[in-house]
Amino acid sequence: MEKREQLYEGKAKRVYATKDENSVIVSYKDDATAFDGTKKGTIVGKGVVNNKMSNFLMQILEKQGVKTHYIEELNDRETVVKKVEIVPLEVIIRNISAGSFARNYGVEEGIVFDKPTIEFSYKNDDLHDPLINSYHAIALKLATKEEIEQIKAMAFKVNDVLKDYFLGLGVKLVDFKLEFGRTADGEIVLADEISPDTCRFWDKDTNEKLDKDRFRRDMGGVEDAYKEMMKRVFGE
Ligand code: UDP
């Protein structure tokens, strides 16, 4: 499959048309942003890690019955995926307190929850992705009630599968963000990416951060953290 015209350029990926109207090619960049795009940088090799890891995880999820946009990996940075209309909601699942949860509720990071939590943000750059509840999302026609129910069930299923998978690699899946899309036939599928950009990963024994927080918080060792996660997933 070959790239045709560029359809879109986002913060971390470019999307190209293909000869098939129902498929697009995603190309992962090394560009990193944080804090609503105000912090910018490069994480060398990130595009390769995120592409390969996301594709691998989506295939694990497909085997467990979660429909995804994944079609075929073309090379280190490029993948054919189903063309979808993205549901403008960021779906966040948390197993352990961190980030905005710790900040908003004035608690420390690292509290292990008895049950995972879910929340939505409205994907809207002008409004800075505000938190939104499902009633408001339905009122704004961002998704139907049925779609929201399906998205919730799929997101918790993704958590069940990936939490166990990463624990087997000595990694705690602290929290993560998912995006969903509608295919041409109106089916809801998991889209976007699952990577150290969109998940918090802590080493099981040391709680060392192995994700984008190292970039957000200027901790150093950013590239090494991405490489370490690659090693845990794929071996040497
Ligand atoms: N996240 C993301 N994109 C966003 C916001 C959050 O991928 O625009 C991910 C983030 O990497 C973390 C989880 O969602 O794994 C929860 O993020 P949180 O709400 O704690 O936000 P932050 O602390 O980054 O402001």
Short mmCIF file of all heavy atoms in Angstrom, two decimals, residues 205-231:
data_model
loop_
_atom_site.label_atom_id
_atom_site.label_comp_id
_atom_site.label_asym_id
_atom_site.label_seq_id
_atom_site.Cartn_x
_atom_site.Cartn_y
_atom_site.Cartn_z
N ASP A 205 8.95 -3.11 40.49
CA ASP A 205 9.71 -3.20 41.74
C ASP A 205 10.22 -1.83 42.21
O ASP A 205 10.24 -1.57 43.41
CB ASP A 205 10.90 -4.14 41.55
CG ASP A 205 10.42 -5.55 41.20
OD1 ASP A 205 9.43 -6.00 41.81
OD2 ASP A 205 11.01 -6.17 40.30
N THR A 206 10.63 -0.98 41.29
CA THR A 206 11.26 0.30 41.68
C THR A 206 10.35 1.50 41.49
O THR A 206 10.68 2.61 41.94
CB THR A 206 12.53 0.55 40.83
OG1 THR A 206 12.13 0.73 39.47
CG2 THR A 206 13.49 -0.62 40.92
N ASN A 207 9.21 1.33 40.80
CA ASN A 207 8.33 2.44 40.43
C ASN A 207 8.99 3.46 39.51
O ASN A 207 8.48 4.57 39.33
CB ASN A 207 7.75 3.15 41.66
CG ASN A 207 6.62 2.37 42.28
OD1 ASN A 207 5.96 1.57 41.60
ND2 ASN A 207 6.40 2.57 43.56
N GLU A 208 10.12 3.09 38.92
CA GLU A 208 10.77 3.99 37.96
C GLU A 208 9.80 4.29 36.82
O GLU A 208 9.11 3.39 36.33
CB GLU A 208 12.04 3.33 37.41
CG GLU A 208 12.82 4.25 36.51
CD GLU A 208 13.95 3.55 35.75
OE1 GLU A 208 14.13 2.33 35.92
OE2 GLU A 208 14.65 4.23 34.99
N LYS A 209 9.75 5.56 36.41
CA LYS A 209 8.84 5.95 35.33
C LYS A 209 9.44 5.59 33.98
O LYS A 209 10.58 5.95 33.68
CB LYS A 209 8.56 7.45 35.38
CG LYS A 209 7.83 7.89 36.64
CD LYS A 209 7.45 9.35 36.58
CE LYS A 209 7.10 9.91 37.95
NZ LYS A 209 6.06 9.16 38.65
N LEU A 210 8.65 4.90 33.16
CA LEU A 210 9.11 4.42 31.86
C LEU A 210 8.20 4.96 30.76
O LEU A 210 7.74 4.21 29.90
CB LEU A 210 9.13 2.88 31.85
CG LEU A 210 10.07 2.23 32.88
CD1 LEU A 210 9.84 0.73 32.96
CD2 LEU A 210 11.53 2.53 32.51
N ASP A 211 7.91 6.26 30.81
CA ASP A 211 6.94 6.84 29.88
C ASP A 211 7.20 8.33 29.70
O ASP A 211 8.19 8.86 30.19
CB ASP A 211 5.52 6.60 30.43
CG ASP A 211 5.39 7.19 31.82
OD1 ASP A 211 5.58 8.41 31.98
OD2 ASP A 211 5.16 6.42 32.79
N LYS A 212 6.25 8.99 29.05
CA LYS A 212 6.41 10.40 28.66
C LYS A 212 6.51 11.35 29.85
O LYS A 212 6.92 12.50 29.68
CB LYS A 212 5.23 10.79 27.75
CG LYS A 212 5.42 12.08 27.00
CD LYS A 212 4.27 12.27 26.02
CE LYS A 212 4.06 13.69 25.65
NZ LYS A 212 2.80 13.85 24.87
N ASP A 213 6.14 10.91 31.05
CA ASP A 213 6.32 11.78 32.22
C ASP A 213 7.78 12.23 32.36
O ASP A 213 8.04 13.32 32.88
CB ASP A 213 5.86 11.09 33.51
CG ASP A 213 4.40 11.40 33.83
OD1 ASP A 213 3.81 12.29 33.16
OD2 ASP A 213 3.85 10.76 34.74
N ARG A 214 8.72 11.43 31.90
CA ARG A 214 10.14 11.83 31.98
C ARG A 214 10.39 13.07 31.14
O ARG A 214 11.24 13.90 31.49
CB ARG A 214 11.07 10.69 31.55
CG ARG A 214 10.92 9.42 32.36
CD ARG A 214 12.10 8.49 32.16
NE ARG A 214 13.22 8.96 32.94
CZ ARG A 214 13.46 8.60 34.20
NH1 ARG A 214 12.66 7.74 34.83
NH2 ARG A 214 14.49 9.09 34.83
N PHE A 215 9.66 13.20 30.02
CA PHE A 215 9.74 14.40 29.17
C PHE A 215 8.96 15.54 29.81
O PHE A 215 9.47 16.65 29.99
CB PHE A 215 9.18 14.06 27.78
CG PHE A 215 8.94 15.25 26.89
CD1 PHE A 215 10.00 15.86 26.21
CD2 PHE A 215 7.65 15.75 26.70
CE1 PHE A 215 9.77 16.95 25.37
CE2 PHE A 215 7.42 16.85 25.87
CZ PHE A 215 8.48 17.45 25.21
N ARG A 216 7.71 15.26 30.21
CA ARG A 216 6.87 16.31 30.81
C ARG A 216 7.57 16.96 32.00
O ARG A 216 7.50 18.16 32.21
CB ARG A 216 5.54 15.73 31.31
CG ARG A 216 4.62 15.17 30.24
CD ARG A 216 3.24 14.84 30.83
NE ARG A 216 2.38 14.14 29.89
CZ ARG A 216 2.20 12.82 29.87
NH1 ARG A 216 2.78 12.04 30.76
NH2 ARG A 216 1.40 12.28 28.96
N ARG A 217 8.24 16.13 32.81
CA ARG A 217 8.79 16.62 34.09
C ARG A 217 10.29 16.86 34.02
O ARG A 217 10.94 17.01 35.07
CB ARG A 217 8.47 15.59 35.18
CG ARG A 217 6.97 15.35 35.31
CD ARG A 217 6.60 14.33 36.38
NE ARG A 217 5.17 14.00 36.31
CZ ARG A 217 4.52 13.30 37.22
NH1 ARG A 217 5.16 12.80 38.27
NH2 ARG A 217 3.23 13.05 37.08
N ASP A 218 10.86 16.89 32.81
CA ASP A 218 12.31 17.15 32.62
C ASP A 218 13.17 16.26 33.51
O ASP A 218 14.10 16.73 34.16
CB ASP A 218 12.64 18.62 32.91
CG ASP A 218 12.01 19.56 31.89
OD1 ASP A 218 12.00 19.22 30.70
OD2 ASP A 218 11.51 20.63 32.30
N MET A 219 12.86 14.97 33.51
CA MET A 219 13.58 14.06 34.41
C MET A 219 14.85 13.49 33.77
O MET A 219 15.65 12.84 34.45
CB MET A 219 12.67 12.89 34.80
CG MET A 219 11.47 13.33 35.61
SD MET A 219 10.32 11.97 35.81
CE MET A 219 11.19 11.01 37.03
N GLY A 220 15.01 13.69 32.46
CA GLY A 220 16.13 13.05 31.76
C GLY A 220 15.84 11.58 31.51
O GLY A 220 14.83 11.04 32.00
N GLY A 221 16.71 10.94 30.73
CA GLY A 221 16.53 9.51 30.45
C GLY A 221 15.27 9.21 29.67
O GLY A 221 14.71 8.11 29.79
N VAL A 222 14.82 10.17 28.88
CA VAL A 222 13.56 9.98 28.15
C VAL A 222 13.70 8.88 27.10
O VAL A 222 12.91 7.92 27.08
CB VAL A 222 13.10 11.29 27.47
CG1 VAL A 222 11.74 11.10 26.82
CG2 VAL A 222 13.04 12.43 28.49
N GLU A 223 14.71 9.02 26.23
CA GLU A 223 14.91 8.02 25.17
C GLU A 223 15.12 6.63 25.77
O GLU A 223 14.60 5.64 25.26
CB GLU A 223 16.12 8.38 24.28
CG GLU A 223 15.78 9.35 23.15
CD GLU A 223 15.96 10.81 23.53
OE1 GLU A 223 16.32 11.08 24.71
OE2 GLU A 223 15.72 11.69 22.66
N ASP A 224 15.89 6.58 26.87
CA ASP A 224 16.17 5.29 27.51
C ASP A 224 14.90 4.63 28.03
O ASP A 224 14.75 3.41 27.99
CB ASP A 224 17.18 5.45 28.66
CG ASP A 224 18.60 5.65 28.14
OD1 ASP A 224 18.83 5.36 26.94
OD2 ASP A 224 19.46 6.08 28.92
N ALA A 225 13.98 5.44 28.52
CA ALA A 225 12.71 4.90 29.03
C ALA A 225 11.91 4.26 27.89
O ALA A 225 11.37 3.15 28.03
CB ALA A 225 11.89 6.00 29.70
N TYR A 226 11.83 4.95 26.76
CA TYR A 226 11.12 4.39 25.60
C TYR A 226 11.81 3.09 25.14
O TYR A 226 11.15 2.10 24.83
CB TYR A 226 11.03 5.41 24.45
CG TYR A 226 9.94 6.45 24.65
CD1 TYR A 226 10.08 7.46 25.60
CD2 TYR A 226 8.76 6.41 23.90
CE1 TYR A 226 9.07 8.40 25.80
CE2 TYR A 226 7.76 7.35 24.08
CZ TYR A 226 7.92 8.35 25.03
OH TYR A 226 6.92 9.27 25.22
N LYS A 227 13.17 3.14 25.12
CA LYS A 227 13.93 1.94 24.70
C LYS A 227 13.69 0.79 25.66
O LYS A 227 13.55 -0.36 25.26
CB LYS A 227 15.44 2.26 24.68
CG LYS A 227 15.93 2.73 23.34
CD LYS A 227 17.47 2.74 23.31
CE LYS A 227 17.98 4.05 22.74
NZ LYS A 227 19.29 4.45 23.22
N GLU A 228 13.63 1.10 26.96
CA GLU A 228 13.40 0.06 27.97
C GLU A 228 12.03 -0.60 27.77
O GLU A 228 11.90 -1.82 27.84
CB GLU A 228 13.53 0.66 29.38
CG GLU A 228 13.22 -0.32 30.52
CD GLU A 228 14.16 -1.53 30.59
OE1 GLU A 228 15.30 -1.43 30.09
OE2 GLU A 228 13.74 -2.56 31.15
N MET A 229 11.01 0.22 27.49
CA MET A 229 9.67 -0.35 27.24
C MET A 229 9.66 -1.22 25.98
O MET A 229 9.01 -2.26 25.94
CB MET A 229 8.61 0.76 27.14
CG MET A 229 8.18 1.33 28.47
SD MET A 229 7.68 0.07 29.68
CE MET A 229 6.31 -0.73 28.84
N MET A 230 10.41 -0.78 24.97
CA MET A 230 10.54 -1.57 23.73
C MET A 230 11.16 -2.93 24.05
O MET A 230 10.72 -3.96 23.56
CB MET A 230 11.43 -0.76 22.78
CG MET A 230 11.47 -1.28 21.39
SD MET A 230 9.94 -0.86 20.55
CE MET A 230 10.46 -1.27 18.90
N LYS A 231 12.20 -2.89 24.92
CA LYS A 231 12.91 -4.11 25.30
C LYS A 231 11.99 -5.06 26.07
O LYS A 231 11.98 -6.26 25.85
CB LYS A 231 14.13 -3.73 26.14
CG LYS A 231 15.19 -4.79 26.21
CD LYS A 231 16.50 -4.22 26.73
CE LYS A 231 16.83 -4.78 28.08
NZ LYS A 231 18.02 -4.16 28.70
#
